[in-house]
Amino acid sequence: MEQLQHKTAVITGGNSGIGYATAADFLAKGAKVLITGRNPEAVQQAVDTLGNDTDSFIADQGKIADTQKLAEYVRDRYGKIDILFVNAGIANFGPFSQVTEESFDRLMDINLKGAFFTVQYLLPLIKDGGTIILLSSINALAGMPGASIYNASKAGLNSLGRTLSRELASRKIRVNTVNPGPVETPILQKAGIPEEAINKDEMAKKLPAGRIGQPEEIAKLVSFLASDEASFITGAEYNIDGGFSVHPLIG
Ligand SMILES: NC(=O)c1ccc[n+]([C@@H]2O[C@H](COP(=O)([O-])OP(=O)(O)OC[C@H]3O[C@@H](n4cnc5c(N)ncnc54)[C@H](OP(=O)(O)O)[C@@H]3O)[C@@H](O)[C@H]2O)c1
């Protein structure tokens, strides 16, 4: 039986990487899927490859007015949804001393404030018994140097997940957070790191798994958490990082 049959899902940032792979996995498991993104051509390209049953809406997660319009669209089109996957995010790297108010606000507006208000605006449209999954990062826990804004934005998401799991318990809405380690997506190039400077082999050496992850591997965990098979799981945080979080200090 298809694990997500009769479920309707909204995925923010579904035109690329983990969001795209999750949309494909949700569709394969029988869900109706709406993806969002900020770039109309990229979103249309994703819809073309995911299949024309995929719905889409152009909304910048960093703009609350867009989120409000997304919620109106979802309400008019679907009434209620079962799954909200808050995935859209950007990265930004550089020493703490060089962080500007502008770079801080740009990242926080999308990764934390945008994620926060995406949940708030869509919450009345999530069925009782539905589920929310927040896409954080192992960086929320790891304190990686040179990623102070990103790390803080993701730590905020983990905190939000814990709070919402309790606040929404009366509506039987399960809230869980996923913390991936390094995954092969275009996020680093989009953050301005040239392709030749991204050393996957060096990253892989730090992982017991011996390689970085693929978006499809994260998608499978998200699909499981979105399904009724995860009915006893809420307030949880899942590291899916090839073992990065147990990187040994000794030995
Ligand atoms: N890749 C990793 O190693 C890794 C590890 C841990 C956590 N993550 C997290 O995983 C999530 C997905 O990232 P990814 O690695 O799959 O990167 P990605 O391929 O760049 O995907 C990010 C998605 O979010 C969209 N997006 C970015 N800013 C947006 C905005 N303001 N409004 C709407 N959509 C927006 C992107 O659209 P555009 O195409 O327009 O940019 C894209 O569809 C992020 O939250 C990221 O922090 C990634």
Side-chain angles (χ1 to χ4, degrees), residues 103-125:
S103 63
F104 182 95
D105 285 346
R106 180 165 174 270
L107 188 137
M108 284 292 183
D109 278 352
I110 297 170
N111 286 19
L112 184 56
K113 184 177 170 190
F116 187 105
F117 285 101
T118 298
V119 176
Q120 196 196 63
Y121 276 101
L122 288 172
L123 186 55
L125 309 177

PDB file of all heavy atoms in Angstrom, residues 103-125:
ATOM      1  N   SER A 103      23.749  40.671   6.166  1.00  0.00           N
ATOM      2  CA  SER A 103      23.871  39.230   5.885  1.00  0.00           C
ATOM      3  C   SER A 103      23.140  38.417   6.962  1.00  0.00           C
ATOM      4  O   SER A 103      22.539  37.378   6.676  1.00  0.00           O
ATOM      5  CB  SER A 103      25.336  38.799   5.757  1.00  0.00           C
ATOM      6  OG  SER A 103      26.041  39.001   6.963  1.00  0.00           O
ATOM      7  N   PHE A 104      23.171  38.914   8.199  1.00  0.00           N
ATOM      8  CA  PHE A 104      22.449  38.254   9.297  1.00  0.00           C
ATOM      9  C   PHE A 104      20.941  38.228   8.992  1.00  0.00           C
ATOM     10  O   PHE A 104      20.291  37.186   9.032  1.00  0.00           O
ATOM     11  CB  PHE A 104      22.727  39.008  10.605  1.00  0.00           C
ATOM     12  CG  PHE A 104      22.078  38.398  11.820  1.00  0.00           C
ATOM     13  CD1 PHE A 104      22.778  37.511  12.629  1.00  0.00           C
ATOM     14  CD2 PHE A 104      20.772  38.719  12.169  1.00  0.00           C
ATOM     15  CE1 PHE A 104      22.175  36.945  13.753  1.00  0.00           C
ATOM     16  CE2 PHE A 104      20.168  38.159  13.287  1.00  0.00           C
ATOM     17  CZ  PHE A 104      20.877  37.261  14.078  1.00  0.00           C
ATOM     18  N   ASP A 105      20.412  39.428   8.638  1.00  0.00           N
ATOM     19  CA  ASP A 105      18.963  39.523   8.399  1.00  0.00           C
ATOM     20  C   ASP A 105      18.533  38.687   7.196  1.00  0.00           C
ATOM     21  O   ASP A 105      17.489  38.046   7.221  1.00  0.00           O
ATOM     22  CB  ASP A 105      18.552  40.982   8.165  1.00  0.00           C
ATOM     23  CG  ASP A 105      18.546  41.780   9.467  1.00  0.00           C
ATOM     24  OD1 ASP A 105      18.596  41.153  10.550  1.00  0.00           O
ATOM     25  OD2 ASP A 105      18.503  43.023   9.404  1.00  0.00           O
ATOM     26  N   ARG A 106      19.363  38.687   6.145  1.00  0.00           N
ATOM     27  CA  ARG A 106      18.981  37.969   4.924  1.00  0.00           C
ATOM     28  C   ARG A 106      18.804  36.486   5.233  1.00  0.00           C
ATOM     29  O   ARG A 106      17.808  35.869   4.850  1.00  0.00           O
ATOM     30  CB  ARG A 106      20.053  38.184   3.848  1.00  0.00           C
ATOM     31  CG  ARG A 106      19.724  37.485   2.571  1.00  0.00           C
ATOM     32  CD  ARG A 106      20.553  37.944   1.385  1.00  0.00           C
ATOM     33  NE  ARG A 106      20.235  37.090   0.250  1.00  0.00           N
ATOM     34  CZ  ARG A 106      20.891  35.967  -0.020  1.00  0.00           C
ATOM     35  NH1 ARG A 106      21.901  35.580   0.725  1.00  0.00           N
ATOM     36  NH2 ARG A 106      20.516  35.228  -1.047  1.00  0.00           N
ATOM     37  N   LEU A 107      19.779  35.909   5.943  1.00  0.00           N
ATOM     38  CA  LEU A 107      19.700  34.480   6.231  1.00  0.00           C
ATOM     39  C   LEU A 107      18.599  34.175   7.251  1.00  0.00           C
ATOM     40  O   LEU A 107      17.782  33.267   7.058  1.00  0.00           O
ATOM     41  CB  LEU A 107      21.054  33.949   6.712  1.00  0.00           C
ATOM     42  CG  LEU A 107      21.060  32.425   6.842  1.00  0.00           C
ATOM     43  CD1 LEU A 107      22.348  31.837   6.294  1.00  0.00           C
ATOM     44  CD2 LEU A 107      20.841  31.961   8.257  1.00  0.00           C
ATOM     45  N   MET A 108      18.550  34.966   8.309  1.00  0.00           N
ATOM     46  CA  MET A 108      17.538  34.709   9.348  1.00  0.00           C
ATOM     47  C   MET A 108      16.120  34.890   8.804  1.00  0.00           C
ATOM     48  O   MET A 108      15.206  34.169   9.194  1.00  0.00           O
ATOM     49  CB  MET A 108      17.762  35.652  10.536  1.00  0.00           C
ATOM     50  CG  MET A 108      18.931  35.241  11.403  1.00  0.00           C
ATOM     51  SD  MET A 108      18.578  33.680  12.265  1.00  0.00           S
ATOM     52  CE  MET A 108      20.040  33.492  13.238  1.00  0.00           C
ATOM     53  N   ASP A 109      15.944  35.873   7.910  1.00  0.00           N
ATOM     54  CA  ASP A 109      14.611  36.121   7.338  1.00  0.00           C
ATOM     55  C   ASP A 109      14.074  34.875   6.628  1.00  0.00           C
ATOM     56  O   ASP A 109      12.873  34.624   6.628  1.00  0.00           O
ATOM     57  CB  ASP A 109      14.652  37.282   6.336  1.00  0.00           C
ATOM     58  CG  ASP A 109      14.584  38.630   7.029  1.00  0.00           C
ATOM     59  OD1 ASP A 109      14.359  38.656   8.261  1.00  0.00           O
ATOM     60  OD2 ASP A 109      14.773  39.656   6.344  1.00  0.00           O
ATOM     61  N   ILE A 110      14.969  34.137   5.981  1.00  0.00           N
ATOM     62  CA  ILE A 110      14.529  32.930   5.255  1.00  0.00           C
ATOM     63  C   ILE A 110      14.513  31.714   6.187  1.00  0.00           C
ATOM     64  O   ILE A 110      13.496  31.043   6.347  1.00  0.00           O
ATOM     65  CB  ILE A 110      15.457  32.667   4.040  1.00  0.00           C
ATOM     66  CG1 ILE A 110      15.371  33.830   3.042  1.00  0.00           C
ATOM     67  CG2 ILE A 110      15.096  31.346   3.364  1.00  0.00           C
ATOM     68  CD1 ILE A 110      16.417  33.788   1.938  1.00  0.00           C
ATOM     69  N   ASN A 111      15.662  31.450   6.813  1.00  0.00           N
ATOM     70  CA  ASN A 111      15.835  30.169   7.522  1.00  0.00           C
ATOM     71  C   ASN A 111      15.052  30.078   8.831  1.00  0.00           C
ATOM     72  O   ASN A 111      14.581  28.997   9.187  1.00  0.00           O
ATOM     73  CB  ASN A 111      17.310  29.932   7.849  1.00  0.00           C
ATOM     74  CG  ASN A 111      18.129  29.553   6.632  1.00  0.00           C
ATOM     75  OD1 ASN A 111      17.714  29.786   5.508  1.00  0.00           O
ATOM     76  ND2 ASN A 111      19.292  28.981   6.856  1.00  0.00           N
ATOM     77  N   LEU A 112      14.938  31.206   9.553  1.00  0.00           N
ATOM     78  CA  LEU A 112      14.283  31.101  10.863  1.00  0.00           C
ATOM     79  C   LEU A 112      12.951  31.864  10.903  1.00  0.00           C
ATOM     80  O   LEU A 112      11.904  31.266  11.110  1.00  0.00           O
ATOM     81  CB  LEU A 112      15.218  31.582  11.979  1.00  0.00           C
ATOM     82  CG  LEU A 112      14.652  31.417  13.391  1.00  0.00           C
ATOM     83  CD1 LEU A 112      14.250  29.975  13.689  1.00  0.00           C
ATOM     84  CD2 LEU A 112      15.658  31.895  14.443  1.00  0.00           C
ATOM     85  N   LYS A 113      13.016  33.189  10.627  1.00  0.00           N
ATOM     86  CA  LYS A 113      11.760  33.964  10.680  1.00  0.00           C
ATOM     87  C   LYS A 113      10.769  33.434   9.634  1.00  0.00           C
ATOM     88  O   LYS A 113       9.589  33.232   9.919  1.00  0.00           O
ATOM     89  CB  LYS A 113      12.077  35.438  10.433  1.00  0.00           C
ATOM     90  CG  LYS A 113      10.883  36.359  10.548  1.00  0.00           C
ATOM     91  CD  LYS A 113      11.311  37.813  10.352  1.00  0.00           C
ATOM     92  CE  LYS A 113      10.113  38.717  10.211  1.00  0.00           C
ATOM     93  NZ  LYS A 113      10.497  40.081   9.799  1.00  0.00           N
ATOM     94  N   GLY A 114      11.281  33.184   8.427  1.00  0.00           N
ATOM     95  CA  GLY A 114      10.408  32.695   7.354  1.00  0.00           C
ATOM     96  C   GLY A 114       9.819  31.334   7.696  1.00  0.00           C
ATOM     97  O   GLY A 114       8.632  31.075   7.475  1.00  0.00           O
ATOM     98  N   ALA A 115      10.664  30.449   8.237  1.00  0.00           N
ATOM     99  CA  ALA A 115      10.175  29.115   8.617  1.00  0.00           C
ATOM    100  C   ALA A 115       9.125  29.244   9.721  1.00  0.00           C
ATOM    101  O   ALA A 115       8.064  28.603   9.679  1.00  0.00           O
ATOM    102  CB  ALA A 115      11.346  28.257   9.085  1.00  0.00           C
ATOM    103  N   PHE A 116       9.399  30.088  10.684  1.00  0.00           N
ATOM    104  CA  PHE A 116       8.497  30.301  11.829  1.00  0.00           C
ATOM    105  C   PHE A 116       7.114  30.740  11.336  1.00  0.00           C
ATOM    106  O   PHE A 116       6.079  30.158  11.701  1.00  0.00           O
ATOM    107  CB  PHE A 116       9.128  31.383  12.729  1.00  0.00           C
ATOM    108  CG  PHE A 116       8.431  31.634  14.033  1.00  0.00           C
ATOM    109  CD1 PHE A 116       8.970  31.162  15.221  1.00  0.00           C
ATOM    110  CD2 PHE A 116       7.247  32.358  14.094  1.00  0.00           C
ATOM    111  CE1 PHE A 116       8.343  31.402  16.445  1.00  0.00           C
ATOM    112  CE2 PHE A 116       6.616  32.603  15.302  1.00  0.00           C
ATOM    113  CZ  PHE A 116       7.162  32.126  16.482  1.00  0.00           C
ATOM    114  N   PHE A 117       7.102  31.762  10.466  1.00  0.00           N
ATOM    115  CA  PHE A 117       5.794  32.286  10.028  1.00  0.00           C
ATOM    116  C   PHE A 117       5.139  31.402   8.966  1.00  0.00           C
ATOM    117  O   PHE A 117       3.917  31.442   8.822  1.00  0.00           O
ATOM    118  CB  PHE A 117       5.919  33.752   9.605  1.00  0.00           C
ATOM    119  CG  PHE A 117       6.052  34.650  10.814  1.00  0.00           C
ATOM    120  CD1 PHE A 117       7.291  35.138  11.206  1.00  0.00           C
ATOM    121  CD2 PHE A 117       4.943  34.936  11.607  1.00  0.00           C
ATOM    122  CE1 PHE A 117       7.419  35.921  12.357  1.00  0.00           C
ATOM    123  CE2 PHE A 117       5.064  35.707  12.757  1.00  0.00           C
ATOM    124  CZ  PHE A 117       6.306  36.203  13.133  1.00  0.00           C
ATOM    125  N   THR A 118       5.933  30.589   8.274  1.00  0.00           N
ATOM    126  CA  THR A 118       5.318  29.591   7.378  1.00  0.00           C
ATOM    127  C   THR A 118       4.456  28.658   8.211  1.00  0.00           C
ATOM    128  O   THR A 118       3.306  28.358   7.860  1.00  0.00           O
ATOM    129  CB  THR A 118       6.406  28.794   6.620  1.00  0.00           C
ATOM    130  OG1 THR A 118       7.143  29.701   5.813  1.00  0.00           O
ATOM    131  CG2 THR A 118       5.799  27.715   5.751  1.00  0.00           C
ATOM    132  N   VAL A 119       5.004  28.208   9.328  1.00  0.00           N
ATOM    133  CA  VAL A 119       4.226  27.314  10.199  1.00  0.00           C
ATOM    134  C   VAL A 119       3.017  28.075  10.744  1.00  0.00           C
ATOM    135  O   VAL A 119       1.887  27.568  10.711  1.00  0.00           O
ATOM    136  CB  VAL A 119       5.087  26.760  11.357  1.00  0.00           C
ATOM    137  CG1 VAL A 119       4.228  25.908  12.290  1.00  0.00           C
ATOM    138  CG2 VAL A 119       6.255  25.942  10.831  1.00  0.00           C
ATOM    139  N   GLN A 120       3.238  29.311  11.195  1.00  0.00           N
ATOM    140  CA  GLN A 120       2.112  30.039  11.811  1.00  0.00           C
ATOM    141  C   GLN A 120       0.963  30.258  10.817  1.00  0.00           C
ATOM    142  O   GLN A 120      -0.204  30.040  11.135  1.00  0.00           O
ATOM    143  CB  GLN A 120       2.588  31.382  12.368  1.00  0.00           C
ATOM    144  CG  GLN A 120       1.586  31.973  13.335  1.00  0.00           C
ATOM    145  CD  GLN A 120       1.843  33.441  13.590  1.00  0.00           C
ATOM    146  OE1 GLN A 120       1.765  34.259  12.672  1.00  0.00           O
ATOM    147  NE2 GLN A 120       2.175  33.772  14.824  1.00  0.00           N
ATOM    148  N   TYR A 121       1.293  30.675   9.583  1.00  0.00           N
ATOM    149  CA  TYR A 121       0.229  30.950   8.603  1.00  0.00           C
ATOM    150  C   TYR A 121      -0.452  29.682   8.114  1.00  0.00           C
ATOM    151  O   TYR A 121      -1.645  29.691   7.816  1.00  0.00           O
ATOM    152  CB  TYR A 121       0.781  31.751   7.416  1.00  0.00           C
ATOM    153  CG  TYR A 121       0.820  33.235   7.706  1.00  0.00           C
ATOM    154  CD1 TYR A 121       1.995  33.876   8.065  1.00  0.00           C
ATOM    155  CD2 TYR A 121      -0.345  34.007   7.654  1.00  0.00           C
ATOM    156  CE1 TYR A 121       2.029  35.231   8.361  1.00  0.00           C
ATOM    157  CE2 TYR A 121      -0.321  35.364   7.945  1.00  0.00           C
ATOM    158  CZ  TYR A 121       0.870  35.965   8.300  1.00  0.00           C
ATOM    159  OH  TYR A 121       0.894  37.302   8.598  1.00  0.00           O
ATOM    160  N   LEU A 122       0.314  28.590   8.010  1.00  0.00           N
ATOM    161  CA  LEU A 122      -0.303  27.364   7.472  1.00  0.00           C
ATOM    162  C   LEU A 122      -0.947  26.499   8.550  1.00  0.00           C
ATOM    163  O   LEU A 122      -1.741  25.618   8.244  1.00  0.00           O
ATOM    164  CB  LEU A 122       0.730  26.563   6.678  1.00  0.00           C
ATOM    165  CG  LEU A 122       1.098  27.221   5.334  1.00  0.00           C
ATOM    166  CD1 LEU A 122       2.246  26.515   4.672  1.00  0.00           C
ATOM    167  CD2 LEU A 122      -0.087  27.250   4.379  1.00  0.00           C
ATOM    168  N   LEU A 123      -0.640  26.801   9.792  1.00  0.00           N
ATOM    169  CA  LEU A 123      -1.132  25.963  10.894  1.00  0.00           C
ATOM    170  C   LEU A 123      -2.662  25.785  10.916  1.00  0.00           C
ATOM    171  O   LEU A 123      -3.148  24.661  11.093  1.00  0.00           O
ATOM    172  CB  LEU A 123      -0.623  26.525  12.224  1.00  0.00           C
ATOM    173  CG  LEU A 123      -0.914  25.687  13.468  1.00  0.00           C
ATOM    174  CD1 LEU A 123      -0.393  24.259  13.310  1.00  0.00           C
ATOM    175  CD2 LEU A 123      -0.276  26.357  14.689  1.00  0.00           C
ATOM    176  N   PRO A 124      -3.440  26.861  10.702  1.00  0.00           N
ATOM    177  CA  PRO A 124      -4.903  26.651  10.724  1.00  0.00           C
ATOM    178  C   PRO A 124      -5.378  25.711   9.615  1.00  0.00           C
ATOM    179  O   PRO A 124      -6.500  25.209   9.664  1.00  0.00           O
ATOM    180  CB  PRO A 124      -5.465  28.061  10.491  1.00  0.00           C
ATOM    181  CG  PRO A 124      -4.335  28.995  10.760  1.00  0.00           C
ATOM    182  CD  PRO A 124      -3.073  28.250  10.470  1.00  0.00           C
ATOM    183  N   LEU A 125      -4.504  25.490   8.604  1.00  0.00           N
ATOM    184  CA  LEU A 125      -4.900  24.647   7.468  1.00  0.00           C
ATOM    185  C   LEU A 125      -4.432  23.206   7.633  1.00  0.00           C
ATOM    186  O   LEU A 125      -4.742  22.353   6.804  1.00  0.00           O
ATOM    187  CB  LEU A 125      -4.314  25.219   6.171  1.00  0.00           C
ATOM    188  CG  LEU A 125      -4.580  26.707   5.932  1.00  0.00           C
ATOM    189  CD1 LEU A 125      -3.900  27.177   4.666  1.00  0.00           C
ATOM    190  CD2 LEU A 125      -6.087  26.969   5.869  1.00  0.00           C
TER     191      LEU A 125
END
